[in-house]
Amino acid sequence: MSAFALYVLLLKATATSFAGMGSLPQIRQDLVVTAHAITDEQLSQAVLVGRSTPGPVGAYVVAVGYFAGGVRGAIAGLLAVMTPALAAVPLLVLMRRWLHVPRVRAAVDAVVMASAALLVVSVLRMANDGIQQFARVVGWM
Amino acid sequence: MSVRRLAWVVLRDVNRTLGGGIASMELLRRSAAKEGWFDERGHAVLTAVSRLTPGTNVLAYCVGLGWLVRGWIGAIVALIASSVPAAVFIAALAATLVRIDRYPIVRVIIAVGVLAATVLVASSAWHLMRPYLNRQSASRAAIIAGVVAAMSWLDVTPVRIFLVCAAIGALIGMPADAEAPAADS
């Protein structure tokens, strides 16, 4: 997979989530299930690496990019994490005009709730994978 | 206010916390108050904007902070200062992990670490959902959770799930007197 294609897929995940780990379900769908660019185990390792270091939680996408495409993949991951943040400026300008509209706030809240619920689904899959991996390692030793 | 000072404050405050975006934003709020960049209201506006911006909340917060302090140059500098150091560290750690993955003791540590990461993701989900688990929002949260569970079971992609949930949220509307809750990271 080219670095640009990886960037597009990772950007799709980061730009449609509203929290650092919120991109996890989409990344799994695109890179593990559809493209087979990384495995579930590598995705879990990327989360582990991302959460083991200081800094933004969403930067785990850099590790995902590295596992999928080496250094170029890591750069693609970094750019995918950085790009959506630039939307903060126009939002800052628009916010005073629209955020007081209850239905707009309700729609945003619903997306945040959906993001949390999808994370729970991911947790169940990660837990299953983690337990299997642990059992394999223990059995192997 | 110099761009160099802005870059240093953002780099220092964002890249020294393990507790996610809320911890970093709190440090940035204190620094911004000390530097005279904005007051409590400015912090509240930036927090709300960071929640509305797709992606990682704390990066959006930094972009907004940089833009308020020094315009677009400030926004870009703050974005780089908040993301690049952590990214370099993470890439180096990932590269190391790939090289030492074959050793048994490393595989045991990784296996335990993956289980720990599962708990961390569960924690992120909890922090995201917790502000909505009150009497005013519980029914909305239950409906959204039910819709997500059903659509996930049907293998609907996350983007479509978000769109459907946004539409449902807009249709249901906000409970009276509801305040925007704080979000994770």
Side-chain angles (χ1 to χ4, degrees), chain A residues 14-18 20 26 41 48 51 53-56 58 66 81 84 91-92 95 102-103 105-106 108-110 112-113 137 141, chain B residues 14-15 17 49 51-57 59 82 90 95 107-108 113 124 132 158-159 162 165 169-171 174 178 180 185:
Chain A
T14 56
T16 53
S17 65
F18 287 84
Q26 188 65 53
E41 187 180 338
L48 174 66
R51 294 302 305 253
T53 55
Y66 184 85
V81 173
L91 274 173
L92 199 57
M95 195 191 133
R103 289 201 188 279
R105 261 179 63 192
V108 172
D109 276 357
V112 176
M113 289 181 211
V137 169
M141 289 188 80
Chain B
V14 174
N15 293 290
T17 52
V49 165
R51 285 208 50 223
L52 285 168
T53 307
T56 306
N57 293 168
L59 296 185
S82 59
I90 286 171
R107 293 203 65 83
V108 171
S124 286
Y132 301 100
V159 174
F162 286 144
C165 288
L171 283 173
M174 290 289 288
S185 71

Side-chain angles (χ1 to χ4, degrees), chain B residues 32-97:
Chain B
K34 198 173 167 185
E35 301 281 344
W37 290 339
F38 50 73
D39 55 12
E40 289 294 329
R41 182 169 169 73
H43 170 70
V45 169
L46 276 183
T47 303
V49 165
S50 72
R51 285 208 50 223
L52 285 168
T53 307
T56 306
N57 293 168
V58 70
L59 296 185
Y61 186 99
C62 291
V63 166
L65 185 154
W67 188 75
L68 287 176
V69 174
R70 286 300 301 262
W72 274 108
I73 289 177
I76 299 293
V77 166
L79 179 58
I80 290 170
S82 59
S83 58
V84 171
V88 170
F89 197 41
I90 286 171
L93 206 57
T96 306
L97 198 63

Side-chain angles (χ1 to χ4, degrees), chain B residues 7-162:
Chain B
W8 165 244
V9 169
V10 170
L11 187 148
R12 181 194 64 195
D13 287 352
V14 174
N15 293 290
R16 66 173 162 146
T17 52
L18 277 166
I22 290 177
S24 299
M25 282 190 237
E26 174 58 19
L27 290 176
L28 286 168
R29 182 192 67 76
R30 293 179 188 186
S31 296
K34 198 173 167 185
E35 301 281 344
W37 290 339
F38 50 73
D39 55 12
E40 289 294 329
R41 182 169 169 73
H43 170 70
V45 169
L46 276 183
T47 303
V49 165
S50 72
R51 285 208 50 223
L52 285 168
T53 307
T56 306
N57 293 168
V58 70
L59 296 185
Y61 186 99
C62 291
V63 166
L65 185 154
W67 188 75
L68 287 176
V69 174
R70 286 300 301 262
W72 274 108
I73 289 177
I76 299 293
V77 166
L79 179 58
I80 290 170
S82 59
S83 58
V84 171
V88 170
F89 197 41
I90 286 171
L93 206 57
T96 306
L97 198 63
V98 168
R99 281 170 180 75
I100 63 174
D101 191 26
R102 62 182 180 276
Y103 298 110
I105 186 66
V106 174
R107 293 203 65 83
V108 171
I109 292 169
I110 290 172
V112 173
V114 166
L115 288 174
T118 305
V119 176
L120 290 170
V121 176
S123 165
S124 286
W126 168 248
H127 280 290
L128 264 183
M129 186 58 92
R130 189 174 56 179
Y132 301 100
L133 299 179
N134 53 52
R135 204 164 48 185
Q136 290 172 326
S137 301
S139 57
R140 283 191 311 149
I143 291 169
I144 296 296
V147 169
V148 170
M151 293 181 81
S152 296
W153 186 65
L154 292 170
D155 280 335
V156 178
T157 60
V159 174
R160 289 177 183 166
I161 294 175
F162 286 144

